[in-house]
Amino acid sequence: MGGARGARGRGRPRRRYYRVTTDGAQQAREAIARAYRARRQRVPGWVAGPAGGLP
């Protein structure tokens, strides 16, 4: 047993870490801002559907 992965060989895979570039961070900020603005806009009743939600 053992090996390079040690005792964790059978469990969850090793955690991966990713590096975010400056450009990627800016794109993420813009995407979050767009989503936030879209959520705050009121949606007309005919778009939102019936008051009780989906059947």
Side-chain angles (χ1 to χ4, degrees):
M1 299 234 177
R5 293 171 66 168
R8 295 184 50 159
R10 286 177 274 157
R12 223 186 297 183
R14 290 179 57 122
R15 186 174 294 181
R16 294 182 180 157
Y17 295 93
Y18 299 94
R19 205 170 288 236
V20 179
T21 63
T22 304
D23 188 46
Q26 181 62 34
Q27 289 178 5
R29 278 190 218 96
E30 292 169 2
I32 291 169
R34 279 194 306 273
Y36 183 75
R37 283 193 302 268
R39 241 181 97 187
R40 291 189 51 169
Q41 291 177 351
R42 303 232 3 131
V43 178
W46 57 271
V47 173
L54 296 174

PDB file of all heavy atoms in Angstrom, residues 37-44:
ATOM      1  N   ARG A  37     -26.768  42.637 -10.940  1.00  0.00           N
ATOM      2  CA  ARG A  37     -27.685  43.618 -11.556  1.00  0.00           C
ATOM      3  C   ARG A  37     -28.910  42.929 -12.124  1.00  0.00           C
ATOM      4  O   ARG A  37     -30.024  43.408 -11.979  1.00  0.00           O
ATOM      5  CB  ARG A  37     -26.967  44.401 -12.649  1.00  0.00           C
ATOM      6  CG  ARG A  37     -26.050  45.479 -12.125  1.00  0.00           C
ATOM      7  CD  ARG A  37     -25.606  46.421 -13.229  1.00  0.00           C
ATOM      8  NE  ARG A  37     -24.930  45.739 -14.316  1.00  0.00           N
ATOM      9  CZ  ARG A  37     -23.611  45.558 -14.406  1.00  0.00           C
ATOM     10  NH1 ARG A  37     -22.826  46.005 -13.454  1.00  0.00           N
ATOM     11  NH2 ARG A  37     -23.090  44.938 -15.442  1.00  0.00           N
ATOM     12  N   ALA A  38     -28.731  41.783 -12.760  1.00  0.00           N
ATOM     13  CA  ALA A  38     -29.862  41.066 -13.356  1.00  0.00           C
ATOM     14  C   ALA A  38     -30.837  40.599 -12.277  1.00  0.00           C
ATOM     15  O   ALA A  38     -32.047  40.590 -12.484  1.00  0.00           O
ATOM     16  CB  ALA A  38     -29.358  39.869 -14.165  1.00  0.00           C
ATOM     17  N   ARG A  39     -30.331  40.219 -11.119  1.00  0.00           N
ATOM     18  CA  ARG A  39     -31.194  39.771 -10.033  1.00  0.00           C
ATOM     19  C   ARG A  39     -32.016  40.888  -9.446  1.00  0.00           C
ATOM     20  O   ARG A  39     -33.107  40.663  -8.950  1.00  0.00           O
ATOM     21  CB  ARG A  39     -30.314  39.181  -8.925  1.00  0.00           C
ATOM     22  CG  ARG A  39     -30.602  37.748  -8.641  1.00  0.00           C
ATOM     23  CD  ARG A  39     -29.720  37.256  -7.544  1.00  0.00           C
ATOM     24  NE  ARG A  39     -30.466  37.325  -6.304  1.00  0.00           N
ATOM     25  CZ  ARG A  39     -29.963  37.096  -5.128  1.00  0.00           C
ATOM     26  NH1 ARG A  39     -28.706  36.817  -5.009  1.00  0.00           N
ATOM     27  NH2 ARG A  39     -30.696  37.162  -4.047  1.00  0.00           N
ATOM     28  N   ARG A  40     -31.470  42.091  -9.445  1.00  0.00           N
ATOM     29  CA  ARG A  40     -32.160  43.219  -8.827  1.00  0.00           C
ATOM     30  C   ARG A  40     -33.261  43.796  -9.702  1.00  0.00           C
ATOM     31  O   ARG A  40     -34.119  44.510  -9.216  1.00  0.00           O
ATOM     32  CB  ARG A  40     -31.156  44.318  -8.494  1.00  0.00           C
ATOM     33  CG  ARG A  40     -30.239  43.887  -7.367  1.00  0.00           C
ATOM     34  CD  ARG A  40     -29.409  45.004  -6.894  1.00  0.00           C
ATOM     35  NE  ARG A  40     -30.267  46.156  -6.605  1.00  0.00           N
ATOM     36  CZ  ARG A  40     -29.861  47.238  -5.982  1.00  0.00           C
ATOM     37  NH1 ARG A  40     -28.638  47.337  -5.591  1.00  0.00           N
ATOM     38  NH2 ARG A  40     -30.672  48.241  -5.765  1.00  0.00           N
ATOM     39  N   GLN A  41     -33.253  43.505 -10.994  1.00  0.00           N
ATOM     40  CA  GLN A  41     -34.280  44.053 -11.892  1.00  0.00           C
ATOM     41  C   GLN A  41     -35.600  43.341 -11.640  1.00  0.00           C
ATOM     42  O   GLN A  41     -35.647  42.130 -11.467  1.00  0.00           O
ATOM     43  CB  GLN A  41     -33.873  43.867 -13.352  1.00  0.00           C
ATOM     44  CG  GLN A  41     -32.697  44.728 -13.740  1.00  0.00           C
ATOM     45  CD  GLN A  41     -32.270  44.470 -15.165  1.00  0.00           C
ATOM     46  OE1 GLN A  41     -32.748  43.529 -15.805  1.00  0.00           O
ATOM     47  NE2 GLN A  41     -31.374  45.277 -15.668  1.00  0.00           N
ATOM     48  N   ARG A  42     -36.671  44.101 -11.627  1.00  0.00           N
ATOM     49  CA  ARG A  42     -37.993  43.513 -11.439  1.00  0.00           C
ATOM     50  C   ARG A  42     -38.393  42.790 -12.715  1.00  0.00           C
ATOM     51  O   ARG A  42     -38.157  43.260 -13.807  1.00  0.00           O
ATOM     52  CB  ARG A  42     -39.005  44.597 -11.107  1.00  0.00           C
ATOM     53  CG  ARG A  42     -38.577  45.355  -9.889  1.00  0.00           C
ATOM     54  CD  ARG A  42     -39.521  45.518  -8.775  1.00  0.00           C
ATOM     55  NE  ARG A  42     -40.798  44.913  -8.805  1.00  0.00           N
ATOM     56  CZ  ARG A  42     -41.256  44.212  -7.779  1.00  0.00           C
ATOM     57  NH1 ARG A  42     -40.527  44.017  -6.727  1.00  0.00           N
ATOM     58  NH2 ARG A  42     -42.458  43.711  -7.819  1.00  0.00           N
ATOM     59  N   VAL A  43     -39.016  41.645 -12.560  1.00  0.00           N
ATOM     60  CA  VAL A  43     -39.460  40.856 -13.703  1.00  0.00           C
ATOM     61  C   VAL A  43     -40.971  40.987 -13.798  1.00  0.00           C
ATOM     62  O   VAL A  43     -41.672  40.799 -12.805  1.00  0.00           O
ATOM     63  CB  VAL A  43     -39.072  39.369 -13.511  1.00  0.00           C
ATOM     64  CG1 VAL A  43     -39.566  38.530 -14.669  1.00  0.00           C
ATOM     65  CG2 VAL A  43     -37.568  39.237 -13.345  1.00  0.00           C
ATOM     66  N   PRO A  44     -41.492  41.308 -14.994  1.00  0.00           N
ATOM     67  CA  PRO A  44     -42.952  41.398 -15.141  1.00  0.00           C
ATOM     68  C   PRO A  44     -43.623  40.066 -14.792  1.00  0.00           C
ATOM     69  O   PRO A  44     -43.029  39.003 -14.974  1.00  0.00           O
ATOM     70  CB  PRO A  44     -43.152  41.728 -16.625  1.00  0.00           C
ATOM     71  CG  PRO A  44     -41.821  42.121 -17.148  1.00  0.00           C
ATOM     72  CD  PRO A  44     -40.785  41.578 -16.228  1.00  0.00           C
TER      73      PRO A  44
END
